[in-house]
Amino acid sequence: MPIRTQDDLPTKEILEQENIFVMGEMMASHQDIRPINIAIVNLMPLKEDTELQILRSLSNTPLQVDVTFVALSSHESTHTSLSHLNKFYQAFDDIKGEFFDGLIITGAPVELMPYEEVDYWPEICRIMEWSKYHVTSTLHLCWAAQAAMYYHYGIPKYELPKKKFGIYPHRVKNRKVPLVRGFDDIFFAPHSRHTEVRREDILKHENLTILAESEEAGVFLVINDDGSQVFVMGHPEYDRVTLHEEYMRDKEKGLPIEKPINYYPDDDETQRPLLQWRSHGNILYANWLNYYVYQATPYEFINTAAILGK
């Protein structure tokens, strides 16, 4: 089944060129099935790039996914046009009375700032509190995963000696949990961050389970007992060239940056990076949608009268 978006969303054409079935609003309105409704709080500066990455990741499922992009009212985006935001995004205050099957909160380039000094921290706290009562399961990515652990559990973050940057191997820790069903024992995932949360702090909370971690990159995947909160410390949705673009951007700015590890063939930045994480990234998103969003949606979220035609 397809991703459902607004008919003129710019990334729709790119997805269609990749043979990903993207359904516009008009066609979707004629399908007699219940889509799963996913809200995406996109905190990344280059919002269209992130839209493409996440929609691509959500596409590998037999379910129809209806996406609502959410923008923050307390932060002015300087890298995405106001016309794009006004046309394709809704303010949190406009959707806070609704219920969603799933919520994704993306990473953000504010890791080195104390949480309370981030200008939109109060609004993010409102969203995270709201998610406990209006969302079946929330997927937190990178900075959002650290921020949610801090907000919900008081788990601190720690600054790393240098940026964790590259493709790292991870080992699955608990195969009985459906979120990692289909994973190999060892899998790769991208990381791009300056801070971390530590396993010893997570293990103090009995309702949190570490599902995957890396000797080099630390904790990668955590879930709470009922699957309503999933924390991903890396970026399984990243494209082949995302780390390359980050590396070249920082290098051109003269910032202290090393090559992303395990990324370029022969560690040669002129060569095309190897794509080593796409399959497990797709499995992660598909498992989340299936086991923690679709199958776990409370009965009262569903308009059964509309489904049955009564």
Side-chain angles (χ1 to χ4, degrees), residues 121-278:
W121 179 246
E123 188 172 8
I124 283 294
C125 290
R126 287 176 58 213
I127 291 172
M128 291 190 291
E129 186 64 24
W130 168 86
S131 72
K132 295 192 294 187
Y133 308 101
H134 287 254
V135 178
T136 304
S137 182
T138 301
L139 182 69
H140 310 82
L141 300 174
C142 202
W143 177 84
Q146 297 182 6
M149 284 192 162
Y150 177 72
Y151 176 78
H152 293 297
Y153 301 98
I155 296 174
K157 65 179 177 180
Y158 300 88
E159 185 174 344
L160 294 167
K162 65 178 181 179
K163 186 177 184 179
K164 191 67 63 179
F165 191 46
I167 311 301
Y168 295 88
H170 304 77
R171 182 176 292 275
V172 174
K173 293 296 183 179
N174 192 330
R175 289 201 162 277
K176 294 182 179 179
V177 179
L179 189 62
V180 291
R181 187 166 293 171
F183 274 48
D184 295 327
D185 289 339
I186 302 293
F187 66 94
F188 291 90
H191 289 261
S192 178
R193 52 185 168 83
H194 295 274
T195 56
E196 67 176 355
V197 293
R198 295 176 179 168
R199 73 186 316 271
E200 55 265 30
D201 292 329
I202 297 170
L203 293 176
K204 294 175 184 177
H205 299 269
E206 295 182 356
N207 58 333
L208 294 178
T209 300
I210 298 173
L211 297 182
E213 59 186 326
S214 165
E215 290 185 4
E216 300 171 77
V219 174
F220 174 72
L221 185 60
V222 180
I223 192 170
N224 72 341
D225 279 351
D226 63 3
S228 62
Q229 297 170 342
V230 175
F231 310 91
V232 184
M233 303 302 165
H235 288 282
E237 76 285 353
Y238 266 8
D239 292 339
R240 180 193 300 270
V241 297
T242 305
L243 292 180
H244 173 74
E245 291 171 348
E246 289 184 16
Y247 170 64
M248 297 307 294
R249 178 200 64 201
D250 289 355
K251 185 178 178 181
E252 290 170 3
K253 290 181 178 179
L255 299 175
I257 184 69
E258 297 180 4
K259 292 179 186 177
I261 71 167
N262 302 323
Y263 185 56
Y264 298 113
D266 301 321
D267 203 29
D268 180 358
E269 65 192 65
T270 66
Q271 295 195 44
R272 192 182 192 210
L274 295 175
L275 188 58
Q276 307 172 74
W277 61 92
R278 177 64 57 79

